[in-house]
Amino acid sequence: MGHERFDLVEHDITLPIDLNVDEIYNLACPASPPRYQSDPIKTNKTSVLGAINMLDLAHKRGARILQASTSEVYGDPEVHPQSESYWGNVNPIGLRSCYDEGKRCAETLFFDYKRQLGVDIRVARIFNTYGPRMDPSDGRVVSNFIVQALLGHDLTIYGDGSQTRSFCYVDDMIEGLFALMNLPEAPETPINIGSQGEFTVLELAERVLDQTGANAKIAFKPLPIDDPTRRRPDTSAALNLLNWQANVPLEEGLAATAKSFVAQLGHLASPAIQSREV
Ligand code: UDP
């Protein structure tokens, strides 16, 4: 932060901005369902108006621009694993659609700015990602389970826990995004960036309990509407084009994340856990 060539500009990307830039990573928008559903109109504006404003900036400045898209463009997928050529199965008017359709429209804008104006675009479809420095109250499954375990609360499984996700550790994700940005030639399509390791939500809960040694139980809660049943990326394009794949095993990533949460939660974490190396 103190570096002479570092500038932090706080700005709402639903409004235009002009800056002297040569690369843009557009990561704006909450990715947690409770967070993005708490103000769905703003969520959609962030994806759509944000994409327009960032693409206009890239066009004006001749900058390369990377869009953080999402596995949610595949909705509740009927094809497994999901490859980039799959068009998805998204409810256009459901509670998740502010995020799903906002991100889909952003992808359209990116490819139209490329075709019509020649902007150098990169679109990463990010699958479930977690790691240290997540907001403990983010609301997504990995942070919820770890925080619940550390506090000795019940782990809240929505539905019966048979739905699957593939969890990518943040360091792997950053390397993937970086590789995509730095690829000399822009790929013709979005690229999936995510982990191949697919787990049920119940398996994740068991791993978190093992990892933290927490004395916590599991509580089953209602499944949210339109919750995707299965999700795993086909990452062959990332491997072929970027020579990238996720490497950090779930146990290792969960351990590092739990450790950072113990530090964040401080005295709130149960004493048994504070004294134990999680
Ligand atoms: N989930 C859960 N308990 C929680 C939070 C989430 O069982 O406390 C489930 C959720 O219903 C979904 C999966 O975990 O099936 C992943 O949810 P998350 O919100 O992390 O991300 P999503 O992939 O749904 O956007």
Side-chain angles (χ1 to χ4, degrees):
M1 290 284 259
H3 195 280
E4 61 184 27
R5 292 176 60 198
F6 181 84
D7 251 342
L8 175 68
V9 178
E10 287 192 51
H11 179 76
D12 176 348
I13 66 158
T14 64
L15 305 169
I17 187 167
D18 189 18
L19 293 167
N20 187 9
V21 289
D22 47 26
E23 276 185 3
I24 303 169
Y25 288 81
N26 182 23
L27 305 173
C29 195
S32 155
R35 289 278 173 93
Y36 68 65
Q37 288 169 24
S38 71
D39 189 349
I41 297 171
K42 180 77 184 199
T43 297
N44 217 326
K45 283 184 178 171
T46 302
S47 286
V48 177
L49 298 178
I52 291 170
N53 289 326
M54 291 302 104
L55 284 160
D56 281 341
L57 176 60
H59 182 229
K60 178 172 180 187
R61 293 291 180 170
R64 183 176 289 182
I65 179 165
L66 181 145
Q67 168 69 355
S69 189
T70 169
S71 54
E72 285 282 324
V73 301
Y74 302 122
D76 190 6
E78 290 161 323
V79 167
H80 193 81
Q82 295 80 53
S83 72
E84 291 85 351
S85 58
Y86 176 47
W87 288 356
N89 176 35
V90 173
N91 175 354
I93 56 165
L95 293 178
R96 298 177 86 97
S97 44
C98 58
Y99 185 73
D100 300 8
E101 297 290 14
K103 289 283 189 181
R104 285 170 68 96
C105 183
E107 286 199 1
T108 307
L109 285 160
F110 268 71
F111 280 86
D112 281 337
Y113 271 71
K114 172 189 165 98
R115 282 184 286 257
Q116 197 174 331
L117 300 173
V119 175
D120 184 358
I121 63 149
R122 317 291 157 114
V123 176
R125 289 188 178 149
I126 296 177
F127 283 64
N128 296 64
T129 301
Y130 71 98
R133 300 183 60 213
M134 280 183 92
D135 180 348
S137 62
D138 172 274
R140 276 175 288 175
V141 69
V142 176
S143 46
N144 273 8
F145 283 179
I146 294 178
V147 170
Q148 288 161 343
L150 295 182
L151 298 180
H153 297 166
D154 291 353
L155 271 59
T156 53
I157 290 189
Y158 303 158
D160 62 5
S162 62
Q163 69 271 38
T164 68
R165 295 292 187 274
S166 305
F167 300 101
C168 185
Y169 188 64
V170 63
D171 290 7
D172 279 335
M173 178 56 58
I174 290 169
E175 276 178 21
L177 297 180
F178 203 58
L180 179 56
M181 179 62 114
N182 289 305
L183 196 67
E185 279 290 309
E188 291 300 314
T189 67
I191 303 294
N192 288 339
I193 311 277
S195 168
Q196 285 291 308
E198 183 181 358
F199 297 89
T200 67
V201 166
L202 187 58
E203 283 168 342
L204 177 71
E206 285 160 356
R207 300 279 176 121
V208 169
L209 290 176
D210 285 351
Q211 191 71 54
T212 56
N215 185 19
K217 295 192 194 61
I218 286 175
F220 291 92
K221 304 276 179 191
L223 187 68
I225 291 166
D226 293 337
D227 200 278
T229 46
R230 287 185 87 185
R231 181 182 289 159
R232 173 161 61 91
D234 175 340
T235 50
S236 41
L239 187 60
N240 293 338
L241 281 171
L242 312 176
N243 195 25
W244 176 90
Q245 63 184 358
N247 288 318
V248 178
L250 187 64
E251 301 75 55
E252 213 176 287
L254 288 179
T257 310
K259 195 169 183 179
S260 86
F261 280 6
V262 168
Q264 271 176 279
L265 296 170
H267 67 283
L268 292 174
S270 71
I273 283 171
Q274 285 184 54
S275 59
R276 191 173 171 272
E277 186 66 18
V278 289

